[in-house]
Amino acid sequence: MIDYKKAEQAKKLLDESGVDYVLAYAKENGYTAGQVQGNALKVVNCIVAAMQAVGKLIRDKHGDKTAVATLSSITMKALKLIYKDSDKE
């Protein structure tokens, strides 16, 4: 069973630790939560490492073309969300 309270505890501990981090998780209902803390350049390295891990999993199972397409899609989704949020302001 998934314990989302523990995920919130992890976020609190990471905040208290002062480390640079990226934390994200998805719930069964499609809701996603994300939190970022730290120096922007260090956080970018965390995000790149996560994308590399995802890309490797996809590449190993589906090949280079699918991995590249998926990583490009992730980037475009993030940009759309950024601009969607800025349109509300």
Side-chain angles (χ1 to χ4, degrees):
M1 178 175 216
I2 298 172
D3 187 342
Y4 295 106
K5 288 182 182 178
K6 286 186 180 180
E8 286 299 316
Q9 289 173 330
K11 179 190 162 304
K12 182 179 176 186
L13 290 171
L14 286 167
D15 286 342
E16 291 172 0
S17 75
V19 300
D20 299 304
Y21 75 88
V22 174
L23 173 70
Y25 61 89
K27 292 185 176 182
E28 290 90 4
N29 63 3
Y31 171 80
T32 56
Q35 179 71 26
V36 175
Q37 174 176 289
N39 174 287
L41 294 177
K42 289 181 181 178
V43 171
V44 166
N45 289 335
C46 294
I47 293 167
V48 169
M51 289 181 71
Q52 177 188 12
V54 168
K56 184 172 177 0
L57 287 173
I58 294 168
R59 181 182 183 208
D60 290 349
K61 191 168 186 178
H62 302 285
D64 289 338
K65 191 173 182 179
T66 302
V68 169
T70 302
L71 293 174
S72 295
S73 175
I74 291 168
T75 303
M76 293 310 295
K77 284 180 185 178
L79 288 169
K80 285 178 186 176
L81 290 171
I82 290 167
Y83 286 104
K84 178 182 171 186
D85 289 344
S86 68
D87 289 345
K88 292 178 184 176
E89 296 174 358

